Amino acid sequence: MTTATTKPEPNPGIIFETLNAYQRSAALKAAIELDVFSKIAEGNRTADAIAKAVGASSRAIRILCDFLVIIGFLSKSGDEYSLSVDSAMFLDRKSPAYFGGTVNFLLDPRLTAAYSDFTEVVRSGRTTLPDEGTVSHDNPIWVQFAREMMPMMAPAASEIAELVAGEGKINVLDVAAGHGIFGITIAQRNPQAHITALDWPNVLAVATENAQKFGVADRHATLPGDAFEVPLGGPYDLILVTNFFHHFDSSTCEKLMRRFHAALAPGGRCVTLEFVPNDDRVSPPVQASFAIMMLGSTVAGDAYTFSEYESMFRNAGFASSQFHALKYAPQAVILSAKL
Amino acid sequence: MTTATTKPEPNPGIIFETLNAYQRSAALKAAIELDVFSKIAEGNRTADAIAKAVGASSRAIRILCDFLVIIGFLSKSGDEYSLSVDSAMFLDRKSPAYFGGTVNFLLDPRLTAAYSDFTEVVRSGRTTLPDEGTVSHDNPIWVQFAREMMPMMAPAASEIAELVAGEGKINVLDVAAGHGIFGITIAQRNPQAHITALDWPNVLAVATENAQKFGVADRHATLPGDAFEVPLGGPYDLILVTNFFHHFDSSTCEKLMRRFHAALAPGGRCVTLEFVPNDDRVSPPVQASFAIMMLGSTVAGDAYTFSEYESMFRNAGFASSQFHALKYAPQAVILSAKL
């Protein structure tokens, strides 16, 4: 008996597809900006009907929608298109979970410019964006972030509130608050929670607006300034550090963690929300890919593993760190306790 | 007995991944430009060793190589990277099939600019590139194409020559010859084949250079000009029309086909190389995706199905058209015969 060894055939398709992958971003952006998904949800099914509804060329819409089928956002039956489960949930404006606006942050030219000469980024090891990249003092990109990314963060905010909001009086510092949704959701869930949102002043305007909108403005204070320098106040029971550590190298993270440790009450916890890859750094794909975003847009940021976070928090004085996977977001939560 | 219906959970990951897909193109481009694949092939396996070999930051190379693992170009074991089958074949400079240079065509800013405001392209239904887009008279992008895309086309050229080069005296017109590899490969296989390469003069310089390099210059003539206007000469036994029809609308294609029909000898054949999707226009993925390239870069181009080609060739006077899938390229060959 012989066993056939099948050697995989080389296939240039993956190179062609990857070099053209930027067209996927452009196509999804165009579909969101033209509101193609909402118009399909309203019952426009053929290229002609969709084109008429969005005010675009019928040939172009046919080609765009076929491409959206290929990359997983629509399905096609005969010449009729319909939404995928994800498109219906997140890209139809009538859906409460709509977050098409993320395109305005994720594809903001001030961010994507980091990839226009990525060879130079890899050579030099740091962003080619001006100053410190996206973490530069008062970078207006974070106002964009605060305005557009809240809906995408809402599911994670709910899961975090469920984990840590508890009952009774708590004092919460929301670091790099942005839209403010993480602190706000805790305040909604625990009527005795008091939130202090820390961020640049222009960004805090968005958080304050949201605190009013969600009815927690009376328990939502602001602390404008730089997380590395401004006196943090406290003591706090919880310090929320969401989507923040990944911008910095590990010694800078530890410096921040020490500040947070000092501002916590005994028994208080630091609540970190992050993309946390496995130790191999190549899985799971979405979490591990986040490092390339940090390479492009920061001076020394990264997607740290849990064991790296654990060690940084330990060095900063925390007694223990626990990992919590989230159900509805690719990020994970790390709860680090002060004795 | 009850059957559980599992409803798929909505997952925002695909939106995040697609909006960031442009980073895949940037990462592969950087890896090719820095020659990361060749240096790994030479035995540099760790991020530190690769970084030293290519003259780049070690942290950046680690993040880049991890990302290349995630998107399918490398594999990783411990902290050592190795090439995938495709990377070893196509992206190691020592491989005879190396075609990393395609990055210089596929990601030429004159081409990618078409996707910088893709919403406007979809709205207006035509490229936002100047004039007629990539098919504008004498567009220098085709010199780039001729210089860089030959290695990627070599496997298809071999398969075409096997199909049609035959034996004995044949007269071949190579339309939009570019690098010239399609005609040249026929001339190499059939020592009595005479090739006339038609293209813009600046592009023909590359084809002539290649004809010399491959030893067929004595049977390789050039016909500079516009395929729509220049007298074609003939009669020809074969007219090669490779990667050309997709730039035009169907009535323009038919006009060209009529010209080719008139220039063929009785029994002669038009040999079309094209990305040909199935009738559903959404499969196979690489072939069907090609339409989005034509939407971005041309006024009215498309990825036509075989039944559309068959009908265009019939309208132009051809007696029959046959479809041939290729083994080593995503494109297909259509052989259309004149009675």
Side-chain angles (χ1 to χ4, degrees):
Chain A
M1 199 176 92
T2 50
T3 312
T5 338
T6 49
K7 214 174 143 187
E9 285 279 357
N11 178 358
I14 186 177
I15 297 167
F16 195 70
E17 273 188 303
T18 303
L19 289 177
N20 289 333
Y22 72 98
Q23 297 171 3
R24 297 180 176 223
S25 308
L28 181 55
K29 179 170 188 272
I32 291 170
E33 289 181 350
L34 290 165
D35 215 9
V36 164
F37 300 103
S38 306
K39 297 302 176 186
I40 294 175
E42 284 171 13
N44 304 285
R45 299 302 188 123
T46 64
D48 284 345
I50 300 162
K52 206 175 152 192
V54 306
S57 145
S58 178
R59 161 181 164 275
I61 286 289
R62 189 254 300 157
I63 292 176
L64 176 65
C65 287
D66 283 342
F67 190 64
L68 293 169
V69 172
I70 298 167
I71 65 175
F73 291 86
L74 297 177
S75 51
K76 187 178 184 183
S77 168
D79 62 353
E80 298 201 336
Y81 301 96
S82 53
L83 301 186
S84 71
V85 172
D86 303 320
S87 306
M89 177 66 86
F90 303 115
L91 299 175
D92 169 11
R93 269 180 209 279
K94 293 228 176 74
S95 164
Y98 176 81
F99 62 66
T102 53
V103 73
N104 298 320
F105 173 70
L106 291 175
L107 293 178
D108 186 302
R110 290 169 294 186
L111 188 60
T112 59
Y115 298 86
S116 64
D117 186 1
F118 200 56
T119 300
E120 182 49 33
V121 170
V122 177
R123 198 173 275 139
S124 68
R126 51 158 289 156
T127 186
T128 52
L129 297 178
D131 304 322
E132 304 291 297
T134 50
V135 293
S136 296
H137 197 283
D138 239 357
N139 189 328
I141 190 94
W142 298 113
V143 177
Q144 190 81 325
F145 177 88
R147 294 218 174 276
E148 306 292 4
M149 296 297 278
M150 187 177 76
M152 199 186 216
M153 296 300 163
S158 286
E159 290 192 68
I160 289 179
E162 197 170 322
L163 265 176
V164 301
E167 287 175 8
K169 226 175 136 137
I170 55 169
N171 202 13
V172 181
L173 178 65
D174 187 358
V175 176
H179 36 66
I181 192 70
F182 294 103
I184 288 167
T185 308
I186 288 176
Q188 286 184 305
R189 196 172 183 103
N190 177 343
Q192 292 186 73
H194 184 276
I195 317 296
T196 302
L198 163 61
D199 213 318
W200 306 117
N202 53 354
V203 181
L204 284 177
V206 182
T208 298
E209 209 176 276
N210 286 328
Q212 281 157 357
K213 189 168 133 192
F214 290 102
V216 299
D218 56 325
R219 292 177 287 122
H220 195 271
T222 58
L223 177 58
D226 183 327
F228 291 89
E229 287 167 14
V230 71
L232 296 177
Y236 298 101
D237 302 291
L238 297 174
I239 298 184
L240 312 179
V241 194
T242 55
N243 304 309
F244 193 50
F245 289 127
H246 55 233
H247 296 103
F248 311 105
D249 67 23
S250 59
S251 72
T252 307
C253 287
E254 284 183 19
K255 199 190 300 175
L256 275 170
M257 289 166 180
R258 259 179 236 115
R259 294 200 87 207
F260 299 152
H261 188 267
L264 279 169
R269 289 178 295 175
C270 187
V271 181
T272 301
L273 179 74
E274 276 299 345
F275 289 91
V276 183
N278 296 329
D279 284 338
D280 63 13
R281 289 186 181 282
V282 294
S283 67
V286 171
Q287 288 82 340
S289 296
F290 194 75
I292 206 89
M293 178 85 98
M294 291 305 103
L295 176 55
S297 58
T298 71
V299 173
D302 213 331
Y304 296 104
T305 64
F306 175 61
S307 50
E308 288 173 326
Y309 273 116
E310 206 175 22
S311 141
M312 291 188 259
F313 275 111
R314 200 184 315 115
N315 293 343
F318 286 83
S320 67
S321 289
Q322 280 187 314
F323 180 89
H324 294 265
L326 297 184
K327 236 177 121 173
Y328 298 108
Q331 295 100 320
V333 171
I334 298 171
L335 296 181
S336 306
K338 173 174 179 169
L339 271 189
Chain B
M1 199 177 96
T2 50
T3 312
T5 338
T6 49
K7 215 175 143 187
E9 285 278 357
N11 177 358
I14 186 176
I15 297 168
F16 195 69
E17 273 188 304
T18 304
L19 290 177
N20 290 333
Y22 72 98
Q23 295 171 5
R24 297 179 175 223
S25 308
L28 182 55
K29 178 170 188 270
I32 291 171
E33 289 181 349
L34 291 166
D35 215 10
V36 164
F37 300 103
S38 306
K39 297 302 176 186
I40 293 174
E42 284 171 13
N44 304 285
R45 299 303 189 120
T46 63
D48 283 346
I50 300 163
K52 205 175 155 192
V54 306
S57 145
S58 178
R59 163 182 163 274
I61 286 289
R62 189 255 299 156
I63 293 176
L64 176 65
C65 287
D66 282 343
F67 191 63
L68 292 170
V69 173
I70 297 167
I71 66 174
F73 290 87
L74 297 177
S75 52
K76 186 178 184 182
S77 168
D79 62 354
E80 296 201 337
Y81 300 95
S82 53
L83 301 186
S84 71
V85 172
D86 302 320
S87 306
M89 176 66 86
F90 303 116
L91 298 175
D92 170 11
R93 269 181 209 279
K94 292 228 176 73
S95 164
Y98 176 80
F99 62 67
T102 53
V103 73
N104 298 320
F105 173 70
L106 291 174
L107 293 178
D108 186 301
R110 291 169 294 185
L111 188 60
T112 59
Y115 297 86
S116 63
D117 185 1
F118 200 55
T119 301
E120 181 49 33
V121 170
V122 177
R123 199 174 274 139
S124 68
R126 51 158 288 157
T127 185
T128 52
L129 297 178
D131 304 322
E132 305 291 296
T134 51
V135 293
S136 296
H137 198 282
D138 239 359
N139 189 329
I141 189 94
W142 298 114
V143 178
Q144 190 81 326
F145 177 89
R147 295 218 174 276
E148 305 292 4
M149 295 299 276
M150 187 178 76
M152 199 187 216
M153 296 301 162
S158 286
E159 290 192 67
I160 289 178
E162 197 170 321
L163 264 176
V164 301
E167 289 175 9
K169 226 175 135 140
I170 55 169
N171 202 13
V172 181
L173 178 65
D174 187 358
V175 175
H179 35 66
I181 192 70
F182 294 103
I184 288 167
T185 308
I186 288 177
Q188 287 184 305
R189 196 172 184 103
N190 177 342
Q192 293 188 71
H194 184 276
I195 316 296
T196 302
L198 164 61
D199 213 317
W200 306 116
N202 53 354
V203 181
L204 283 177
V206 183
T208 297
E209 209 176 275
N210 286 329
Q212 281 157 358
K213 189 168 134 194
F214 290 103
V216 299
D218 56 326
R219 292 177 288 122
H220 195 271
T222 59
L223 177 58
D226 183 328
F228 291 89
E229 286 167 14
V230 71
L232 296 177
Y236 297 102
D237 302 292
L238 297 174
I239 298 184
L240 312 179
V241 194
T242 55
N243 304 310
F244 194 50
F245 289 128
H246 55 233
H247 296 103
F248 311 106
D249 67 22
S250 59
S251 72
T252 307
C253 288
E254 286 183 18
K255 199 189 302 176
L256 274 170
M257 289 166 180
R258 259 179 237 116
R259 294 200 87 208
F260 300 152
H261 188 267
L264 279 169
R269 288 178 295 175
C270 187
V271 181
T272 301
L273 179 74
E274 276 299 343
F275 289 91
V276 182
N278 295 329
D279 284 338
D280 63 11
R281 288 185 181 283
V282 294
S283 67
V286 170
Q287 289 81 341
S289 296
F290 193 74
I292 206 89
M293 178 85 98
M294 291 304 103
L295 176 56
S297 60
T298 71
V299 173
D302 214 332
Y304 295 105
T305 64
F306 176 61
S307 50
E308 288 173 326
Y309 274 115
E310 207 175 23
S311 141
M312 291 187 260
F313 275 111
R314 201 184 315 116
N315 294 343
F318 286 83
S320 66
S321 289
Q322 282 186 313
F323 180 89
H324 295 265
L326 296 184
K327 237 178 120 173
Y328 298 108
Q331 295 100 319
V333 171
I334 298 171
L335 296 182
S336 306
K338 173 174 180 171
L339 270 190

